[in-house]
Amino acid sequence: MDVALYLSLVGFVIVMSVTPGPNNLMLMSSSALFGVRATLPTWLGVNIGFNIMLVAAVFGLGTLVARFPMAVMLVKFGGAIWLAWMAWLFLRAGLAKPGAQGQAAAPSRSRPIRSYEAALFQWVNPKALLMTLSAAGAYVALADTAPERAVLMVVTFILFGSPCGLLWVFTGGALKRFMADGRSARILNLAIGAILLVTTAMILLG
């Protein structure tokens, strides 16, 4: 194995996994609303779904996408619609009038995103698709066979990418305390909604 190439992969994984994106924003907002423990199944689903897609990319998903370019557009618009819907929930909560005790309403979603839902979301997540296709294409020389590359990449993403998602989960957990106050909760909901809208615009324009 080329050590320099593998270290390059590790750097790619860390940078792409720790920067803002649909998954990380989803994990942070879920943790801020429902707590760290309740969001861990969502985090697990993100990792399962992402790594399944990564294996598919190593075994030729990129070729399929190249043959059917409309698939990329469907992923882009599907992810954008989902994020816009999430943004609307947060903005609506932020604009809602405080309750009797001054508490701002939480988004109408009454539970965290389940593991299987988070796993399925990876297939309409433009950043996840970009990461998997980029990794599969740029690191072909990492191993001689596709199974070896798939195992090596999945292990690398688990070791270095998964903890990056946990950082966002714990950040959301810290924000949950901030949301205990009604006015602060409204501000946070508006801020998360705005971030999701900006992310949606970046996906559509990118």
Side-chain angles (χ1 to χ4, degrees), residues 67-206:
R67 179 173 296 183
F68 301 102
M70 282 300 297
V72 177
M73 296 300 297
L74 290 175
V75 169
K76 176 183 288 189
F77 284 104
I81 290 171
W82 191 89
L83 286 174
W85 176 71
M86 288 292 293
W88 161 243
L89 292 181
F90 282 104
L91 291 173
R92 185 176 66 179
L95 295 172
K97 294 181 179 181
Q101 298 180 350
Q103 294 287 333
S108 59
R109 192 179 186 92
S110 60
R111 59 170 176 79
I113 297 173
R114 295 191 173 105
S115 294
Y116 74 89
E117 292 173 327
L120 290 174
F121 172 64
Q122 301 314 298
W123 294 89
V124 291
N125 180 348
K127 184 180 179 181
L129 181 63
L130 173 65
M131 289 172 62
T132 54
L133 293 180
S134 298
Y139 297 96
V140 172
L142 200 61
D144 294 332
T145 66
E148 291 175 333
R149 285 197 303 275
V151 170
L152 195 54
M153 287 184 182
V154 167
V155 169
T156 303
F157 270 94
I158 290 174
L159 290 177
F160 297 98
S162 299
C164 294
L166 279 179
L167 288 177
W168 287 82
V169 173
F170 289 125
T171 298
L175 291 175
K176 184 174 176 61
R177 300 177 183 177
F178 181 68
M179 291 181 68
D181 174 72
R183 184 172 180 272
S184 298
R186 295 181 69 187
I187 293 173
L188 180 60
N189 279 323
L190 288 172
I192 293 176
I195 292 172
L196 288 171
L197 281 181
V198 170
T199 304
T200 301
M202 291 175 63
I203 288 173
L204 291 175
L205 297 175

